[in-house]
Amino acid sequence: MKKILKQFCESLFFQAPSLSVVTLKQHFENKTILITGASYGIGEACATLLAPIQCQLVLIARSTDKLTALQKQLTQQGQCQIEIISADLYQPTAAEDIFQHLKAKNIQVDILIHNAGKSIQRSVWESLDRPQDIDRTIHINYINPAQLTRLLLPDLKMAQGKVVIVSTINAKLFAPPLWSNYQASKTAMQQWILSIQPELAAYGVSASLIYLPLVRTRMIEPTKQYNQMPAMQVQHAAQAVLSGAIHHQRQWQPWWLPFASVLSKVFATPIYYFYLHWLKRKQN
Ligand SMILES: NC(=O)c1ccc[n+]([C@@H]2O[C@H](COP(=O)([O-])OP(=O)(O)OC[C@H]3O[C@@H](n4cnc5c(N)ncnc54)[C@H](OP(=O)(O)O)[C@@H]3O)[C@@H](O)[C@H]2O)c1
C-alpha cells in the first residue's frame, strides 16, 4: 500500500517533460555542451541522454576515474565527442582553470549547464567550528558557477548560447532550518541569474533556472528520512534540465510549485512556529 501511494505521488508530483531523441537531435546536434557535476546523478544522466547525439560534451567534476570511465562508455555507445576536465569547484581558481583549459583546446561552449552542487544539512549550532560549510557551498553553488558564466559570456554571445542552472524548489519556499548554507548559496545563484537574465537576453543569450524537487541521487542518501519519501527519477530530472536548454523558458518548475510558494508565504508564521517547536523537541 505504501509503495503504491509513493508511486502515485511520484507520477503526480515528480514528473518532467519527456524528450525524444529527435527533439534532442534538433537542439543539441553539432553543439558543445559543458556540464558541471557530470560524474554522478543528474549531470551523468544529462550526459547519457546526449551521448547518442552528434555533439561535443565537456564533462566536469572532481572524480577523474569516474569521468574517464563515463567518457569511455559513452563514446563507445554514442556519437558524441567527450572532453573531460577534472576540477574542484571549491578552489578559488576553478572557474579560471576551466576557462584556460577550454581556451587551450580551442573549445567554444554553446550551452553551459551548471549542475554541480554541494548540499549540507547541519544546524548552525553544530557548525560553530566549521567555517568550511559556508565556504564550500558558496564556492561550489554560487561563486565558481557565476565566475565561469562571466568568463564564457563572450563565447555564449557569439553562439547565441544558453545557460542552464540546476536549482532547487526550496529557493522558492520557506527557508528550512538546518539547510542554511545550501539555501543561501542556491538562492545567491538564483538571484544573480534572475538579475542578469534580461541583460543576457538582450544579446541573444538565454538563461534558464530549473527548480527541481527531491531527486533520487546519492546527494539525498545521507538524509535518512528521504529514503521513504517520493522523489523524482534521475532521468526525469535530466530531462527537465535539458528542456531548459531547448525551450527559451526562463524557468522550469513542477506544476505545483507556484501554489506551494504562495502557501509558504501565506503560512510563513505557522511554518516558523512549527519548525521552532520541532527543533525544541529535538533538543530533549
Ligand atoms: N538530488 C536532489 O534531491 C536535488 C534536488 C534539487 C536540486 N538538486 C541539485 O541538482 C544538482 C545535481 O545534484 P545530484 O542530485 O545529481 O547530486 P550528486 O549525485 O551528488 O552529484 C553531484 C555532482 O556534483 C559534483 N561535485 C560536487 N562537488 C564538487 C566540487 N567541489 N567540484 C566539482 N564538482 C563537484 C559531483 O562530482 P564529484 O564528486 O566527482 O566532484 C557530482 O558529479 C545539484 O546542483 C543539486 O543541488 C538536487
Side-chain angles (χ1 to χ4, degrees):
M1 187 64 192
K2 235 174 161 182
K3 202 174 159 198
I4 295 172
L5 196 65
K6 196 169 146 192
Q7 278 170 352
F8 176 71
C9 282
E10 287 180 350
S11 64
L12 201 60
F13 298 110
F14 293 86
Q15 287 305 307
S18 62
L19 300 175
S20 67
V21 178
V22 177
T23 310
L24 290 172
K25 220 169 162 181
Q26 230 173 358
H27 294 273
F28 295 98
E29 200 162 59
N30 300 324
K31 301 281 186 207
T32 298
I33 305 116
L34 185 154
I35 307 172
T36 66
S39 54
Y40 293 96
I42 299 162
E44 180 185 10
C46 286
T48 308
L49 276 176
L50 292 171
I53 313 296
Q54 206 170 347
C55 64
Q56 183 176 30
L57 298 178
V58 181
L59 307 182
I60 299 182
R62 288 167 303 177
S63 315
T64 314
D65 292 358
K66 183 72 202 307
L67 286 180
T68 310
L70 192 63
Q71 180 188 36
K72 199 171 159 201
Q73 179 203 327
L74 296 183
T75 35
Q76 268 169 8
Q77 289 170 3
Q79 299 200 40
C80 60
Q81 270 186 9
I82 299 184
E83 173 75 15
I84 58 172
I85 304 180
S86 306
D88 181 354
L89 295 173
Y90 180 33
Q91 299 307 319
T93 61
E96 184 64 39
D97 295 345
I98 294 167
F99 180 67
Q100 291 307 335
H101 184 121
L102 295 171
K103 289 292 133 195
K105 294 267 172 114
N106 208 12
I107 296 172
Q108 305 253 327
V109 174
D110 298 296
I111 300 167
L112 171 59
I113 302 181
H114 290 300
N115 164 73
K118 172 78 187 159
S119 130
I120 301 176
Q121 184 196 32
R122 185 168 293 122
S123 160
V124 71
W125 296 110
E126 287 164 16
S127 313
L128 299 182
D129 56 356
R130 292 184 59 88
Q132 69 270 29
D133 285 356
I134 296 176
D135 282 348
R136 265 207 195 122
T137 44
I138 208 74
H139 273 97
I140 298 167
N141 298 339
Y142 169 52
I143 295 176
N144 271 313
Q147 295 289 13
L148 187 58
T149 309
R150 176 185 65 79
L151 290 164
L152 290 177
L153 272 186
D155 278 7
L156 291 167
K157 183 179 157 198
M158 209 154 63
Q160 299 284 280
K162 290 163 185 181
V163 186
V164 180
I165 302 92
V166 181
S167 190
T168 163
I169 57 165
N170 286 343
K172 289 192 168 200
L173 299 174
F174 188 98
L178 311 185
W179 294 95
S180 55
N181 297 314
Y182 184 62
Q183 185 76 13
S185 56
K186 284 291 197 187
T187 48
M189 188 61 185
Q190 176 202 32
Q191 289 302 314
W192 192 73
I193 288 294
L194 287 175
S195 178
I196 65 167
Q197 250 174 354
E199 297 180 51
L200 301 190
Y203 286 90
V205 179
S206 71
S208 187
L209 282 152
I210 312 297
Y211 295 98
L212 291 179
L214 197 64
V215 183
R216 187 108 17 240
T217 65
R218 76 180 180 153
M219 181 176 273
I220 68 169
E221 279 167 15
T223 314
K224 294 285 167 270
Q225 65 266 35
Y226 287 163
N227 289 343
Q228 304 308 320
M229 284 169 65
M232 191 179 245
Q233 298 302 317
V234 70
Q235 291 80 4
H236 291 173
Q239 286 171 356
V241 173
L242 295 182
S243 77
I246 291 177
H247 309 291
H248 287 269
Q249 297 166 302
R250 285 181 285 125
Q251 61 173 358
W252 179 87
Q253 58 188 341
W255 63 265
W256 46 265
L257 187 56
F259 305 105
S261 182
V262 171
L263 288 178
S264 108
K265 283 192 180 75
V266 172
F267 293 106
T269 306
I271 295 171
Y272 169 83
Y273 283 106
F274 166 79
Y275 278 134
L276 180 60
H277 179 68
W278 173 66
L279 289 165
K280 279 184 169 170
R281 278 189 61 168
K282 245 166 78 98
Q283 275 175 22
N284 305 324

